[in-house]
Amino acid sequence: MAAWYRFAFCAVLLLAQGLVSAWPARADDARPLRGVALVIGESRYLSLPALPNPANDARAVAQLLNSLGFEVSSIPDGDGARLARGLKHFVEDAAGADVALLYYSGHGIEAGGENYLVPVDADASSLSDPANRLVPVSALLAQLKAAVPVAIMLLDACRSNPFPAGATLAAPSGPAPVAAAGLDLARGAAPLADASGAPQSLGEVIGFAAEPGHAALDGEPGGNSPYAAALLKHLAAGGFAFGDVMTMVAEEVYVKTGGRQLPWTNASLRRLLYFGQAPEETGGDEASIRSARRQLLLTIAATPAQQRSMVETVAAQNEVPLDQLYGMLGALQVDTSAGPSDLQAQLAAGAQKLREILARHDTETRQDPELIRLSGLADRAQSEGAVQLALTFRAKASARAEEIDRQLDEAEANIRQRRLELAGTFADHARTAILNFDYRTAAQRYEDAFRQAERWDPKTAFIYKIFEGDALTDQGMIKGENAALSQAVDVYEAAKLLPGVTVFTGGPAGVAINEGITLTALAARENGTARVEQAIKVYEDALKIFNRKRTPELWATVLINLGNAYDLMGQRAGGAAYYSRAMDAYRQATKVYTKKTSPDEWAGLQNNIGNEFTALGDAGDARKNYTAAIDAFQGALTVWTRAKVPVQWAMAMANMAVALQKLGEIEDGTEKLEASRAAFQDVLQVRTRETQPVDWANTQSNLGAVLLSLGQRGKCPDCFDQALAAFDRAHEVITRKQDPFTWATITYNQGRAYRFMGDAENSLPRYRKALEQMDLALTELTRDKSPIIWGKTHSVRGEILLAIGTRTHDKASLLAARDAFITARDIFREQHYSTGFEGFYEKELRLVAEQIAQAK
């Protein structure tokens, strides 16, 4: 909900510091103007609950308005009579002014559609005769409108009802119940007819500390209310129209109260209204922080409701400040009008890192005045949500740290404390870089921090080394840089040898948990099995240290990661043995991560178990295993819903679509295949090219595969063309250089598409194009690195050559087909791939022999 409603303004009204001036329509029409203000603070109630802060709020606001050029009167703790006199004099003073501003802090109530200010001597009897005590806001506003061109009322009076529950007020229209909390829409904010002889009205503004019907917070005792604090912070902002100022005030309250309070403003101005001073020069550091804060608040105000709700949810779940999380949203540099996609997942990951950074932050080791100054500026900028500006200050602090580093080489006094000071500065830079999703800078600065602390504090140095590896892993996995993943592996290996490794539970085995994730991610992008074998050994060694009894969660985590490595090994090396090992690892982990105690982890395990059933179905007992896979994915989807975790939902849904496709390929009809196609299309609503390019490309490839299966059933005349288009889209992202293995599998599927089109059209050109694609795929697929897909490619290649030889009676093609079939058969025998393939190759080789005999 927007806190500020903008109207069409036709000119400008400016209040300058020390002198109130106006710019009606042209600059040369400027003339001196006068502004008056009345500030009321009601704290010491005699019969109603006292409020500690209105007195503080009123004093501070009065000083601010005085500095802005207003003639200020104050009423501290006014009873009914004093309040009536003061308001009467204020209306009289307003008759000679151009702008009148009333600020009220204290109790206020709403009854019968009217808002009332409550003086300090009010009690329950005031409700039976409100004219004796309570001040109706609409009547006061009407008087001010009749006296002054611009009337402004700022009411910090939306607190809970101070009168007994169920109380009613004797309103002119009859008894009216007193609202439980807050004020309501002000009648006086609607345009009112000008009184006879009244000055031409330029409009009015009523600002409420909270939304209609909602209570406002009073703030910590001895301080200011959130609304007053926001006014004090932004009302004097130079160069901003009053509408923007009130927007900043509203959003300041919103973020500082964690979304619990959102001020509301009703305005009807026919001039742009400016308070105060000339626009602030932004060259200074403190001014830059203030400017960045105000721009952030205006950006928050323009953020769509769906995005606001997402940020509020992530902030609440991770217990981090709203303003810093909005600053991180800005650092992502995304279009906030776009759909959430994986934005929530990225922001949630960033929020977790922010929480860790806030918990770890420590500046006690700093001595250098410039480092203290720059770090303080960065801390303030970060606390104000200006994380990109904070990164600039961190960079300056690191530059200063580098300068001190050179000085320390010449002076050894107090070197330990100073070196650790530098390490802390570099680490702070790294943490802020992570908030800006700049993992490369974070890794570099953690390395710098490690080098500074290595000699003086081995345990702290070890932690920096691990953080360096984690940052490189994030760079590799999120940014798609394989080199960063390789660097991360080297960093983890080095960390295992450091004396501070004992700080980790399990020592080197603890490091292995992080390292294994990196190795598996790297193995998935490379041909061969060397990396995945390395990951398997890392995890198997870790299981010698961790066990279910002493460290159950670490034990289960290692098992999950080991299962992932087994699965990848099964894809590369073939054979059901690895898939069975992966299944066993996941099932053991479910003894710790149950649906009741750890639903998210349990859902992840069900997703992984489903993948293993799918893989086992390829090796044998297909119908049973594919059906079990679908059941496992459906179990995961009971926890991973699209509304709650769209990224995880899309992962489980895409995996289930694969199982549906495979089941559909062994069943009659197209029901399962159509369900698979529909599931992939739903997944592509979440996995977009802009937000998840690699996942989007993989989904396009899978969609192409199911379209091939539908095309083979003859129920979809253009399915082969659709499949080729899907494979082409996948190749736009998955390039040969970035991911040669996946690129080759997509190329293989393109060859299958042309082969099926050749069958359907009895077309030699289609068969030759299919053969060309298979040969291209084999330039990356090798027998030793990926034997199963290499064998499948030779098998399809044999089918294509047989089709060409049969139609052309070309003996060379037929001989090549025979060689291809024998090659495929032999590799599947060697890998113990599945049952039933021997009969297929006997039939195909017999057909080849018959065609060779005819060709002779």
Side-chain angles (χ1 to χ4, degrees):
M1 176 181 178
W4 174 255
Y5 296 87
R6 296 179 185 274
F7 296 82
F9 300 120
C10 57
V12 177
L13 184 66
L14 175 69
L15 278 74
Q17 184 175 7
L19 179 66
V20 183
S21 304
W23 296 66
R26 305 188 310 275
D28 57 358
D29 288 339
R31 62 183 179 82
L33 292 182
R34 175 171 169 254
V36 297
L38 176 63
V39 178
I40 303 170
E42 306 282 62
S43 280
R44 299 180 181 178
Y45 283 89
L46 303 179
S47 302
L48 300 177
L51 297 172
N53 290 335
N56 303 328
D57 299 340
R59 281 193 297 271
V61 170
Q63 293 174 359
L64 172 65
L65 293 174
N66 184 67
S67 71
L68 292 176
F70 283 90
E71 300 171 18
V72 182
S73 300
S74 296
I75 303 177
D77 294 323
D79 57 21
R82 187 179 177 196
L83 206 58
R85 288 195 304 273
L87 290 170
K88 179 176 181 294
H89 292 153
F90 178 59
V91 172
E92 292 170 354
D93 289 343
D98 297 279
V99 178
L101 186 151
L102 171 68
Y103 172 82
Y104 176 87
S105 181
H107 280 306
I109 63 170
E110 183 276 327
E114 176 63 87
N115 297 314
Y116 297 87
L117 309 183
V118 182
V120 293
D121 61 343
D123 55 24
S125 68
S126 303
L127 299 178
S128 61
D129 186 9
N132 293 334
R133 296 283 197 285
L134 309 183
V135 179
V137 171
S138 60
L140 176 58
L141 181 61
Q143 294 174 39
L144 287 174
K145 263 188 64 72
V148 67
V150 177
I152 300 172
M153 300 179 70
L154 303 178
L155 304 179
D156 196 356
C158 306
R159 296 166 175 84
S160 298
N161 173 24
F163 295 104
T168 60
L169 180 142
S173 59
V178 178
L183 303 182
D184 207 336
L185 301 179
R187 292 192 222 157
L192 302 174
D194 292 338
S196 175
Q200 179 186 5
S201 175
L202 299 181
E204 66 274 0
V205 176
I206 300 185
F208 297 91
E211 296 169 279
H214 290 70
L217 304 174
D218 193 48
E220 294 295 327
N224 295 114
S225 74
Y227 190 59
L231 287 170
L232 295 170
K233 189 171 185 177
H234 299 296
L235 194 60
F240 291 92
F242 188 65
D244 286 336
V245 170
M246 293 307 293
T247 297
M248 293 187 290
V249 168
E251 300 303 334
E252 182 74 27
V253 174
Y254 162 74
V255 297
K256 285 302 184 185
T257 61
R260 291 179 295 163
Q261 179 178 335
L262 180 62
W264 188 84
T265 304
N266 195 339
S268 177
L269 287 174
R270 293 189 291 277
R271 296 289 188 273
L272 280 176
L273 183 61
Y274 288 84
F275 275 3
Q277 309 155 9
E280 187 176 28
E281 294 291 336
T282 58
D285 293 329
E286 297 290 347
S288 296
I289 295 175
R290 286 192 293 270
S291 175
R293 175 66 168 191
R294 287 163 181 163
Q295 289 303 318
L296 174 65
L297 295 175
L298 295 175
T299 300
I300 293 173
T303 300
Q306 183 180 12
Q307 298 279 4
R308 290 173 75 106
S309 177
M310 178 195 72
V311 176
E312 291 167 10
T313 298
V314 173
Q317 290 175 342
N318 293 276
E319 299 179 335
V320 295
L322 265 179
D323 42 10
Q324 295 192 45
L325 203 56
Y326 272 112
M328 293 179 68
L329 180 65
L332 280 172
Q333 296 182 341
V334 297
D335 180 4
T336 56
S337 66
S341 189
D342 68 335
L343 176 59
Q344 182 168 359
Q346 293 183 59
L347 204 57
Q352 292 173 4
K353 295 180 186 297
L354 173 59
R355 182 177 180 179
E356 295 169 4
I357 288 170
L358 292 175
R360 286 196 303 263
H361 191 58
D362 180 15
T363 60
E364 292 181 358
T365 59
R366 294 192 182 92
Q367 291 181 327
D368 181 76
E370 183 64 3
L371 285 180
I372 294 172
R373 186 186 73 84
L374 289 169
S375 297
L377 289 169
D379 289 344
R380 287 196 295 280
Q382 193 166 305
S383 69
E384 292 289 303
V387 295
Q388 291 171 292
L389 180 60
L391 185 63
T392 299
F393 289 130
R394 296 294 187 204
K396 291 180 179 179
S398 284
R400 171 60 179 161
E402 290 170 343
E403 178 184 350
I404 296 173
D405 181 30
R406 293 189 293 270
Q407 296 173 0
L408 287 175
D409 288 338
E410 302 173 1
E412 291 295 322
N414 299 319
I415 190 169
R416 181 183 187 279
Q417 186 174 2
R418 299 302 299 277
R419 291 290 183 186
L420 293 179
E421 178 182 10
L422 304 189
T425 300
F426 288 133
D428 284 345
H429 187 178
R431 292 165 187 144
T432 302
I434 288 172
L435 297 184
N436 285 268
F437 306 95
D438 184 358
Y439 302 108
R440 176 63 69 180
T441 296
Q444 179 60 55
R445 287 312 182 187
Y446 275 132
E447 181 185 9
D448 293 339
F450 164 77
R451 295 192 183 285
Q452 294 297 329
E454 182 180 15
R455 177 180 174 186
W456 312 104
D457 189 340
K459 291 184 178 180
T460 299
F462 168 78
I463 294 297
Y464 289 149
K465 180 58 70 174
I466 292 297
F467 288 163
E468 179 191 348
D470 292 347
L472 286 168
T473 298
D474 287 341
Q475 178 74 10
M477 296 179 70
I478 295 172
K479 305 294 185 179
E481 293 186 14
N482 292 353
L485 294 173
S486 297
Q487 291 172 351
V489 172
D490 294 340
V491 168
Y492 291 133
E493 285 296 315
K496 292 178 184 178
L497 304 176
L498 294 174
V501 71
T502 55
V503 75
F504 252 34
T505 302
V511 179
I513 295 177
N514 294 31
E515 182 185 15
I517 294 172
T518 310
L519 285 167
T520 306
L522 190 58
R525 296 180 184 172
E526 296 179 344
N527 265 320
T529 60
R531 290 285 193 185
V532 70
E533 288 172 356
Q534 187 180 357
I536 288 172
K537 185 178 186 306
V538 163
Y539 287 129
E540 289 178 339
D541 288 345
L543 287 176
K544 298 173 183 176
I545 305 299
F546 302 118
N547 59 56
R548 182 181 175 186
K549 183 176 181 180
R550 287 186 302 159
T551 53
E553 291 186 355
L554 284 173
W555 175 77
T557 299
V558 173
L559 282 170
I560 293 170
N561 294 336
L562 177 59
N564 293 339
Y566 282 145
D567 176 78
L568 185 57
M569 191 67 177
Q571 296 175 44
R572 295 293 168 81
Y578 285 112
Y579 296 129
S580 297
R581 292 181 193 175
M583 180 78 79
D584 181 64
Y586 297 143
R587 283 176 168 166
Q588 287 191 69
T590 61
K591 296 175 183 178
V592 173
Y593 291 128
T594 67
K595 186 175 185 179
K596 181 178 180 180
T597 61
S598 308
D600 286 335
E601 290 79 3
W602 177 87
L605 282 165
Q606 294 306 304
N607 175 76
N608 292 359
I609 288 170
N611 285 335
E612 300 320 308
F613 273 124
T614 301
L616 289 169
D618 294 341
D621 207 354
R623 188 182 304 276
K624 176 182 176 181
N625 283 315
Y626 295 150
T627 301
I630 293 168
D631 290 342
F633 293 129
Q634 288 174 337
L637 290 169
T638 63
V639 176
W640 284 352
T641 65
R642 182 172 182 175
K644 181 182 177 183
V645 282
V647 174
Q648 291 89 330
W649 172 87
M651 177 173 62
M653 182 65 76
N655 290 336
M656 186 171 70
V658 172
L660 284 167
Q661 175 194 348
K662 291 179 178 293
L663 185 57
E665 288 172 348
I666 63 173
E667 291 184 349
D668 294 332
T670 60
E671 179 185 356
K672 295 292 193 304
L673 295 174
E674 291 288 1
S676 175
R677 174 166 65 172
F680 281 131
Q681 289 170 338
D682 286 344
V683 168
L684 287 171
Q685 299 300 311
V686 173
R687 290 179 171 178
T688 66
R689 180 170 182 174
E690 293 72 23
T691 57
Q692 294 174 261
V694 175
D695 290 336
W696 172 84
N698 283 321
T699 306
Q700 291 287 354
S701 178
N702 289 335
L703 176 61
V706 76
L707 286 167
L708 289 185
S709 297
L710 283 167
Q712 288 180 272
R713 298 294 170 91
K715 302 293 186 181
C716 177
D718 64 340
C719 270
F720 295 138
D721 288 322
Q722 291 183 44
L724 284 172
F727 295 140
D728 287 341
R729 288 191 290 271
H731 264 165
E732 291 173 6
V733 173
I734 299 177
T735 65
R736 186 172 188 170
K737 180 179 180 181
Q738 178 205 38
D739 189 345
F741 177 80
T742 306
W743 173 87
T745 61
I746 297 169
T747 304
Y748 159 79
N749 277 326
Q750 286 177 318
R752 292 178 63 228
Y754 284 116
R755 175 266 169 103
F756 295 142
M757 295 173 84
D759 290 344
E761 301 169 10
N762 194 24
S763 168
L764 275 174
R766 295 289 195 188
Y767 286 130
R768 296 194 189 283
K769 181 65 176 178
L771 186 61
E772 177 185 320
Q773 293 302 109
M774 291 298 168
D775 289 340
L776 186 60
L778 287 170
T779 61
E780 288 293 344
L781 300 172
T782 62
R783 178 178 181 135
D784 59 327
K785 292 184 176 180
S786 43
I788 297 300
I789 186 63
W790 181 83
K792 288 182 177 181
T793 307
H794 276 285
S795 185
V796 178
R797 188 171 180 272
E799 295 172 12
I800 297 167
L801 287 164
L802 175 57
I804 293 172
T806 300
R807 286 160 177 77
T808 62
H809 305 292
D810 178 47
K811 186 175 180 180
S813 296
L814 294 169
L815 291 172
R818 183 184 64 185
D819 292 342
F821 284 135
I822 292 172
T823 298
R825 181 197 64 189
D826 290 348
I827 193 65
F828 291 144
R829 283 177 176 173
E830 178 184 308
Q831 296 295 322
H832 306 288
Y833 178 58
S834 67
T835 60
F837 71 87
E838 294 280 2
F840 170 80
Y841 288 111
E842 287 176 6
K843 179 175 70 72
E844 293 299 303
L845 288 169
R846 186 169 56 249
L847 289 173
V848 171
E850 292 172 359
Q851 292 298 321
I852 291 175
Q854 293 178 19
K856 291 178 180 177

